[in-house]
Amino acid sequence: MSKKEHRKPAAFRLEEVEVFTPEVPTAPTEVEALSLPVAKARAVPDVSRGLRWGSILLGALGGLVSLIASLWLYDWVIALIARDDWIGWVAVALLAVVLLALLMIILREVTGLARLGRLGKIRHEADAAARQNDKPLAIDVADRLKRLYAGRKDLAWGLARLAEHEHDIMNAHELMRLTERTLVAPLDPYARGIVAASAKRVSVVTAVSPGALIDMAFVATENLRMLRRLATLYGARPGTLSLLALARMVVTHIVLTGGIALGDDVIQQVIGHGLTAKLSARLGEGIFNGALTTRIGIAAIDVCRPLPYIESQRPRFRELVAEVAGVS
Protein backbone atom coordinates (compact mmCIF):
# COMPACT_ATOMS: atom_id res chain seq x y z
CA MET A 1 0.00 0.00 0.00
CA SER A 2 2.83 2.34 0.75
CA LYS A 3 4.24 1.85 -2.74
CA LYS A 4 0.85 2.47 -4.29
CA GLU A 5 0.42 5.58 -2.21
CA HIS A 6 3.75 6.99 -3.42
CA ARG A 7 3.26 5.90 -7.07
CA LYS A 8 2.40 8.85 -9.33
CA PRO A 9 -0.66 8.63 -11.57
CA ALA A 10 0.22 7.59 -15.09
CA ALA A 11 -2.56 9.45 -16.91
CA PHE A 12 -3.01 12.77 -15.12
CA ARG A 13 -2.31 14.71 -12.01
CA LEU A 14 -4.98 15.59 -9.54
CA GLU A 15 -4.34 19.32 -9.71
CA GLU A 16 -4.80 19.36 -13.50
CA VAL A 17 -8.32 17.94 -13.49
CA GLU A 18 -9.83 21.41 -14.00
CA VAL A 19 -7.92 21.82 -17.27
CA PHE A 20 -9.82 18.98 -18.88
CA THR A 21 -13.21 19.99 -17.52
CA PRO A 22 -15.37 21.26 -20.40
CA GLU A 23 -16.58 24.81 -20.04
CA VAL A 24 -20.34 24.83 -19.88
CA PRO A 25 -22.56 27.81 -19.12
CA THR A 26 -23.78 27.74 -15.57
CA ALA A 27 -26.92 29.26 -14.24
CA PRO A 28 -26.35 32.53 -12.42
CA THR A 29 -26.61 32.60 -8.71
CA GLU A 30 -29.36 34.48 -6.93
CA VAL A 31 -27.07 37.46 -6.38
CA GLU A 32 -26.02 37.51 -10.07
CA ALA A 33 -29.59 37.09 -11.21
CA LEU A 34 -30.66 40.05 -9.13
CA SER A 35 -27.80 42.17 -10.43
CA LEU A 36 -28.44 41.50 -14.14
CA PRO A 37 -31.47 43.78 -14.53
CA VAL A 38 -29.61 46.52 -12.68
CA ALA A 39 -26.66 46.29 -15.07
CA LYS A 40 -28.90 46.37 -18.10
CA ALA A 41 -30.79 49.32 -16.70
CA ARG A 42 -27.51 51.20 -16.24
CA ALA A 43 -26.35 50.37 -19.79
CA VAL A 44 -29.64 51.31 -21.50
CA PRO A 45 -31.48 53.91 -19.44
CA ASP A 46 -35.18 54.60 -19.88
CA VAL A 47 -35.96 51.40 -21.78
CA SER A 48 -39.61 51.42 -20.84
CA ARG A 49 -41.29 54.81 -20.99
CA GLY A 50 -44.85 53.61 -20.72
CA LEU A 51 -47.64 54.84 -22.92
CA ARG A 52 -46.94 57.84 -25.11
CA TRP A 53 -50.10 59.81 -24.63
CA GLY A 54 -49.05 62.49 -27.08
CA SER A 55 -48.80 59.98 -29.93
CA ILE A 56 -52.10 58.40 -28.87
CA LEU A 57 -53.75 61.84 -28.86
CA LEU A 58 -52.46 62.73 -32.34
CA GLY A 59 -53.44 59.34 -33.74
CA ALA A 60 -56.93 59.54 -32.26
CA LEU A 61 -57.43 63.11 -33.54
CA GLY A 62 -56.25 62.11 -37.00
CA GLY A 63 -58.62 59.16 -37.11
CA LEU A 64 -61.51 61.29 -35.83
CA VAL A 65 -60.91 64.01 -38.43
CA SER A 66 -60.67 61.41 -41.21
CA LEU A 67 -63.90 59.77 -40.08
CA ILE A 68 -65.76 63.11 -39.93
CA ALA A 69 -64.46 64.11 -43.37
CA SER A 70 -65.50 60.75 -44.84
CA LEU A 71 -69.00 61.00 -43.36
CA TRP A 72 -69.37 64.59 -44.56
CA LEU A 73 -68.28 63.66 -48.07
CA TYR A 74 -70.61 60.65 -48.11
CA ASP A 75 -73.61 62.73 -46.98
CA TRP A 76 -72.71 65.46 -49.47
CA VAL A 77 -72.56 63.01 -52.39
CA ILE A 78 -75.83 61.34 -51.37
CA ALA A 79 -77.52 64.74 -51.11
CA LEU A 80 -76.32 65.74 -54.58
CA ILE A 81 -77.49 62.48 -56.11
CA ALA A 82 -80.87 62.86 -54.38
CA ARG A 83 -81.40 66.20 -56.16
CA ASP A 84 -81.73 64.28 -59.44
CA ASP A 85 -80.94 67.37 -61.51
CA TRP A 86 -78.02 68.63 -63.56
CA ILE A 87 -76.31 70.27 -60.54
CA GLY A 88 -76.12 66.96 -58.70
CA TRP A 89 -74.82 65.04 -61.71
CA VAL A 90 -72.23 67.72 -62.53
CA ALA A 91 -71.01 67.59 -58.92
CA VAL A 92 -70.79 63.81 -59.09
CA ALA A 93 -68.88 64.03 -62.38
CA LEU A 94 -66.45 66.55 -60.90
CA LEU A 95 -65.97 64.31 -57.88
CA ALA A 96 -65.21 61.39 -60.18
CA VAL A 97 -62.63 63.52 -62.02
CA VAL A 98 -61.04 64.49 -58.70
CA LEU A 99 -60.80 60.85 -57.59
CA LEU A 100 -59.38 59.82 -60.97
CA ALA A 101 -56.76 62.57 -60.85
CA LEU A 102 -55.84 61.60 -57.30
CA LEU A 103 -55.48 57.97 -58.34
CA MET A 104 -53.26 58.91 -61.29
CA ILE A 105 -51.08 61.09 -59.06
CA ILE A 106 -50.64 58.19 -56.64
CA LEU A 107 -49.76 55.83 -59.49
CA ARG A 108 -47.27 58.36 -60.86
CA GLU A 109 -45.58 58.70 -57.49
CA VAL A 110 -45.40 54.94 -57.01
CA THR A 111 -44.01 54.51 -60.52
CA GLY A 112 -41.44 57.26 -59.96
CA LEU A 113 -40.23 55.69 -56.74
CA ALA A 114 -40.04 52.28 -58.44
CA ARG A 115 -38.02 53.62 -61.40
CA LEU A 116 -35.65 55.46 -59.07
CA GLY A 117 -35.14 52.29 -57.08
CA ARG A 118 -34.58 50.38 -60.33
CA LEU A 119 -31.74 52.72 -61.31
CA GLY A 120 -30.07 52.18 -57.96
CA LYS A 121 -30.43 48.41 -58.20
CA ILE A 122 -29.01 48.33 -61.73
CA ARG A 123 -26.04 50.42 -60.58
CA HIS A 124 -25.40 48.06 -57.65
CA GLU A 125 -25.58 44.96 -59.86
CA ALA A 126 -23.34 46.57 -62.48
CA ASP A 127 -20.71 47.29 -59.82
CA ALA A 128 -20.88 43.66 -58.67
CA ALA A 129 -20.69 42.31 -62.23
CA ALA A 130 -17.64 44.41 -63.11
CA ARG A 131 -15.90 43.69 -59.81
CA GLN A 132 -16.55 39.93 -59.77
CA ASN A 133 -16.35 39.42 -63.57
CA ASP A 134 -19.81 37.81 -63.43
CA LYS A 135 -20.93 37.30 -67.04
CA PRO A 136 -24.56 36.21 -66.32
CA LEU A 137 -25.05 39.20 -64.03
CA ALA A 138 -23.54 41.51 -66.67
CA ILE A 139 -25.95 40.11 -69.28
CA ASP A 140 -28.86 40.71 -66.90
CA VAL A 141 -27.73 44.31 -66.34
CA ALA A 142 -27.48 44.91 -70.08
CA ASP A 143 -30.95 43.42 -70.67
CA ARG A 144 -32.50 45.56 -67.93
CA LEU A 145 -30.93 48.69 -69.38
CA LYS A 146 -32.24 47.80 -72.83
CA ARG A 147 -35.75 47.46 -71.41
CA LEU A 148 -35.36 50.71 -69.49
CA TYR A 149 -34.28 52.67 -72.58
CA ALA A 150 -36.48 50.87 -75.10
CA GLY A 151 -38.36 53.29 -77.34
CA ARG A 152 -36.02 56.27 -76.80
CA LYS A 153 -35.08 57.83 -80.11
CA ASP A 154 -31.88 59.37 -78.77
CA LEU A 155 -30.57 55.91 -77.85
CA ALA A 156 -31.89 53.95 -80.86
CA TRP A 157 -28.45 53.68 -82.44
CA GLY A 158 -26.86 52.56 -79.16
CA LEU A 159 -29.54 49.95 -78.56
CA ALA A 160 -29.03 48.53 -82.05
CA ARG A 161 -25.26 48.43 -81.67
CA LEU A 162 -25.45 46.75 -78.26
CA ALA A 163 -27.86 44.12 -79.58
CA GLU A 164 -25.51 43.49 -82.49
CA HIS A 165 -22.28 43.00 -80.56
CA GLU A 166 -23.24 41.86 -77.04
CA HIS A 167 -23.28 38.15 -77.98
CA ASP A 168 -19.69 38.32 -79.29
CA ILE A 169 -18.24 39.40 -75.94
CA MET A 170 -17.16 36.73 -73.48
CA ASN A 171 -15.93 38.97 -70.63
CA ALA A 172 -18.24 40.64 -68.13
CA HIS A 173 -16.08 43.73 -67.79
CA GLU A 174 -15.98 44.25 -71.55
CA LEU A 175 -19.75 43.80 -71.78
CA MET A 176 -20.20 46.49 -69.13
CA ARG A 177 -17.79 48.70 -71.07
CA LEU A 178 -19.80 48.24 -74.28
CA THR A 179 -23.08 48.86 -72.45
CA GLU A 180 -21.74 52.08 -70.97
CA ARG A 181 -20.35 53.23 -74.31
CA THR A 182 -23.56 52.64 -76.24
CA LEU A 183 -26.33 53.47 -73.74
CA VAL A 184 -25.03 55.63 -70.89
CA ALA A 185 -22.04 57.57 -72.21
CA PRO A 186 -24.15 59.39 -74.86
CA LEU A 187 -26.27 60.82 -72.02
CA ASP A 188 -23.33 62.16 -70.00
CA PRO A 189 -22.73 65.33 -72.10
CA TYR A 190 -26.40 66.26 -71.72
CA ALA A 191 -26.15 65.75 -67.95
CA ARG A 192 -23.06 67.95 -67.84
CA GLY A 193 -24.91 70.61 -69.80
CA ILE A 194 -27.89 70.47 -67.43
CA VAL A 195 -25.63 70.98 -64.40
CA ALA A 196 -23.69 73.81 -66.04
CA ALA A 197 -26.86 75.61 -67.15
CA SER A 198 -28.45 75.39 -63.70
CA ALA A 199 -25.26 76.57 -62.01
CA LYS A 200 -25.02 79.55 -64.36
CA ARG A 201 -28.63 80.55 -63.68
CA VAL A 202 -28.06 80.28 -59.93
CA SER A 203 -24.88 82.38 -60.18
CA VAL A 204 -26.52 85.15 -62.20
CA VAL A 205 -29.75 85.36 -60.20
CA THR A 206 -28.09 85.31 -56.78
CA ALA A 207 -25.60 87.93 -57.92
CA VAL A 208 -28.31 90.44 -58.94
CA SER A 209 -31.22 89.53 -56.63
CA PRO A 210 -32.08 92.12 -53.97
CA GLY A 211 -32.84 89.83 -51.02
CA ALA A 212 -31.63 86.67 -49.31
CA LEU A 213 -35.09 85.09 -49.28
CA ILE A 214 -35.30 85.37 -53.05
CA ASP A 215 -31.85 83.79 -53.31
CA MET A 216 -32.83 80.85 -51.13
CA ALA A 217 -36.13 80.27 -52.92
CA PHE A 218 -34.56 80.40 -56.37
CA VAL A 219 -31.59 78.20 -55.44
CA ALA A 220 -33.88 75.54 -53.93
CA THR A 221 -36.25 75.63 -56.92
CA GLU A 222 -33.47 75.50 -59.48
CA ASN A 223 -31.70 72.63 -57.73
CA LEU A 224 -34.91 70.58 -57.57
CA ARG A 225 -35.52 71.34 -61.24
CA MET A 226 -31.97 70.20 -62.04
CA LEU A 227 -32.46 66.96 -60.08
CA ARG A 228 -35.70 66.23 -61.94
CA ARG A 229 -34.08 66.82 -65.35
CA LEU A 230 -31.07 64.63 -64.51
CA ALA A 231 -33.24 61.79 -63.21
CA THR A 232 -35.47 62.01 -66.28
CA LEU A 233 -32.43 61.98 -68.57
CA TYR A 234 -31.17 58.72 -67.07
CA GLY A 235 -34.60 57.10 -67.07
CA ALA A 236 -36.24 57.78 -63.68
CA ARG A 237 -38.99 60.37 -64.46
CA PRO A 238 -39.57 61.23 -60.77
CA GLY A 239 -42.74 62.64 -59.25
CA THR A 240 -42.92 64.86 -56.20
CA LEU A 241 -42.24 62.18 -53.57
CA SER A 242 -39.55 60.48 -55.64
CA LEU A 243 -37.94 63.88 -56.29
CA LEU A 244 -37.75 64.50 -52.55
CA ALA A 245 -36.34 61.00 -52.08
CA LEU A 246 -33.75 61.73 -54.77
CA ALA A 247 -32.81 64.99 -53.03
CA ARG A 248 -32.30 63.08 -49.78
CA MET A 249 -30.13 60.51 -51.59
CA VAL A 250 -28.04 63.27 -53.18
CA VAL A 251 -27.48 65.02 -49.84
CA THR A 252 -26.52 61.69 -48.26
CA HIS A 253 -24.10 61.00 -51.10
CA ILE A 254 -22.47 64.41 -50.71
CA VAL A 255 -22.08 63.97 -46.96
CA LEU A 256 -20.65 60.46 -47.31
CA THR A 257 -18.15 61.48 -49.98
CA GLY A 258 -17.10 64.57 -48.03
CA GLY A 259 -17.77 66.90 -50.94
CA ILE A 260 -19.86 69.56 -49.23
CA ALA A 261 -16.93 71.66 -48.07
CA LEU A 262 -16.81 74.70 -50.34
CA GLY A 263 -14.91 77.77 -49.31
CA ASP A 264 -13.04 80.74 -50.63
CA ASP A 265 -9.90 78.66 -51.08
CA VAL A 266 -11.69 76.33 -53.49
CA ILE A 267 -13.11 79.20 -55.54
CA GLN A 268 -9.74 80.95 -55.60
CA GLN A 269 -7.98 77.81 -56.81
CA VAL A 270 -10.53 77.45 -59.59
CA ILE A 271 -10.72 80.98 -60.99
CA GLY A 272 -7.52 82.51 -59.64
CA HIS A 273 -6.48 84.65 -56.70
CA GLY A 274 -6.21 87.89 -58.65
CA LEU A 275 -9.68 87.70 -60.15
CA THR A 276 -11.42 86.89 -56.87
CA ALA A 277 -9.82 89.94 -55.27
CA LYS A 278 -11.46 92.16 -57.88
CA LEU A 279 -14.91 90.64 -57.61
CA SER A 280 -17.66 92.33 -55.69
CA ALA A 281 -19.23 90.63 -52.70
CA ARG A 282 -22.48 89.91 -54.57
CA LEU A 283 -20.69 88.45 -57.57
CA GLY A 284 -18.54 86.31 -55.33
CA GLU A 285 -21.66 85.05 -53.58
CA GLY A 286 -23.18 84.21 -56.96
CA ILE A 287 -20.11 82.21 -57.97
CA PHE A 288 -20.16 80.40 -54.62
CA ASN A 289 -23.83 79.44 -55.03
CA GLY A 290 -23.11 78.29 -58.58
CA ALA A 291 -20.26 76.13 -57.28
CA LEU A 292 -22.57 74.62 -54.67
CA THR A 293 -25.14 73.84 -57.38
CA THR A 294 -22.37 72.26 -59.43
CA ARG A 295 -21.42 70.02 -56.53
CA ILE A 296 -25.04 68.97 -56.06
CA GLY A 297 -25.36 68.27 -59.79
CA ILE A 298 -22.27 66.04 -59.87
CA ALA A 299 -23.59 64.10 -56.88
CA ALA A 300 -26.99 63.76 -58.60
CA ILE A 301 -25.29 62.33 -61.70
CA ASP A 302 -23.52 59.79 -59.48
CA VAL A 303 -26.85 58.78 -57.91
CA CYS A 304 -28.93 58.68 -61.10
CA ARG A 305 -26.36 57.18 -63.49
CA PRO A 306 -27.29 53.48 -63.89
CA LEU A 307 -23.71 52.35 -64.54
CA PRO A 308 -20.41 53.13 -62.82
CA TYR A 309 -17.69 55.03 -64.66
CA ILE A 310 -15.87 52.25 -66.47
CA GLU A 311 -14.59 53.92 -69.62
CA SER A 312 -16.01 57.44 -69.32
CA GLN A 313 -14.62 60.12 -67.07
CA ARG A 314 -16.55 61.51 -64.12
CA PRO A 315 -17.31 65.25 -64.42
CA ARG A 316 -14.65 67.28 -62.66
CA PHE A 317 -15.81 69.86 -60.19
CA ARG A 318 -13.10 72.42 -60.90
CA GLU A 319 -13.65 72.31 -64.65
CA LEU A 320 -17.40 72.81 -64.27
CA VAL A 321 -16.96 75.67 -61.80
CA ALA A 322 -14.49 77.35 -64.15
CA GLU A 323 -17.00 76.92 -66.98
CA VAL A 324 -19.76 78.44 -64.87
CA ALA A 325 -17.53 81.37 -63.88
CA GLY A 326 -16.60 81.95 -67.52
CA VAL A 327 -12.89 81.40 -66.91
CA SER A 328 -10.90 79.48 -69.50
Side-chain angles (χ1 to χ4, degrees):
M1 292 295 296
S2 60
K3 292 182 178 181
K4 290 182 180 181
E5 290 178 356
H6 292 288
R7 185 169 58 87
K8 297 182 178 180
F12 59 89
R13 291 179 298 178
L14 185 60
E15 59 268 22
E16 293 182 350
V17 173
E18 296 181 356
V19 177
F20 298 96
T21 302
E23 296 181 359
V24 295
T26 59
T29 61
E30 293 182 359
V31 177
E32 293 175 346
L34 292 174
S35 62
L36 284 176
V38 177
K40 291 183 179 179
R42 292 176 179 175
V44 185
D46 298 331
V47 175
S48 177
R49 298 182 180 180
L51 296 176
R52 298 186 177 183
W53 292 106
S55 302
I56 295 176
L57 176 62
L58 292 178
L61 285 177
L64 183 60
V65 171
S66 300
L67 181 60
I68 293 174
S70 301
L71 291 176
W72 174 82
L73 182 61
Y74 175 78
D75 294 337
W76 181 71
V77 172
I78 294 299
L80 288 176
I81 295 176
R83 291 175 60 95
D84 197 14
D85 57 3
W86 67 272
I87 297 179
W89 292 113
V90 168
V92 172
L94 291 177
L95 179 61
V97 172
V98 169
L99 294 178
L100 178 62
L102 181 62
L103 177 61
M104 296 305 296
I105 290 174
I106 294 174
L107 290 178
R108 185 188 66 179
E109 296 297 337
V110 172
T111 304
L113 289 172
R115 293 180 73 91
L116 187 61
R118 187 187 307 174
L119 286 181
K121 187 175 181 180
I122 292 176
R123 174 66 178 262
H124 177 73
E125 292 180 353
D127 283 330
R131 184 175 60 255
Q132 302 173 5
N133 196 20
D134 191 338
K135 180 66 179 299
L137 185 58
I139 294 176
D140 181 67
V141 169
D143 291 339
R144 297 180 65 180
L145 277 177
K146 287 190 295 183
R147 292 194 299 268
L148 180 65
Y149 294 143
R152 290 186 54 164
K153 295 181 180 180
D154 56 341
L155 295 176
W157 181 84
L159 289 169
R161 187 181 180 189
L162 179 61
E164 180 181 358
H165 297 286
E166 64 178 341
H167 299 291
D168 301 330
I169 298 178
M170 304 301 295
N171 185 273
H173 186 77
E174 293 299 324
L175 180 58
M176 289 291 92
R177 185 189 299 271
L178 177 63
T179 305
E180 181 195 25
R181 185 187 309 159
T182 55
L183 295 184
V184 181
L187 302 177
D188 292 339
Y190 296 101
R192 180 189 176 99
I194 290 173
V195 175
S198 295
K200 288 180 180 179
R201 281 192 291 268
V202 167
S203 298
V204 172
V205 172
T206 55
V208 301
S209 65
L213 292 178
I214 299 177
D215 292 350
M216 294 174 60
F218 181 80
V219 169
T221 303
E222 185 62 32
N223 277 272
L224 289 176
R225 180 172 175 266
M226 177 184 65
L227 294 182
R228 185 187 296 274
R229 294 182 64 190
L230 288 174
T232 303
L233 175 68
Y234 286 110
R237 293 201 295 270
T240 303
L241 294 179
S242 51
L243 181 61
L244 296 178
L246 175 60
R248 181 182 59 81
M249 294 167 61
V250 170
V251 172
T252 303
H253 178 79
I254 293 176
V255 172
L256 291 179
T257 55
I260 198 62
L262 293 176
D264 294 336
D265 55 341
V266 176
I267 306 300
Q268 289 177 357
Q269 291 177 11
V270 172
I271 64 177
H273 293 270
L275 183 58
T276 53
K278 300 177 182 179
L279 293 176
S280 64
R282 295 296 299 173
L283 187 56
E285 183 181 351
I287 294 178
F288 180 85
N289 291 330
L292 181 60
T293 301
T294 302
R295 175 67 73 187
I296 294 175
I298 294 176
I301 293 176
D302 291 339
V303 173
C304 297
R305 200 175 191 269
L307 289 181
Y309 290 98
I310 302 174
E311 188 178 51
S312 303
Q313 294 293 328
R314 185 175 183 267
R316 296 182 178 179
F317 169 71
R318 299 182 184 275
E319 294 179 357
L320 279 176
V321 172
E323 181 181 346
V324 171
V327 180
S328 59

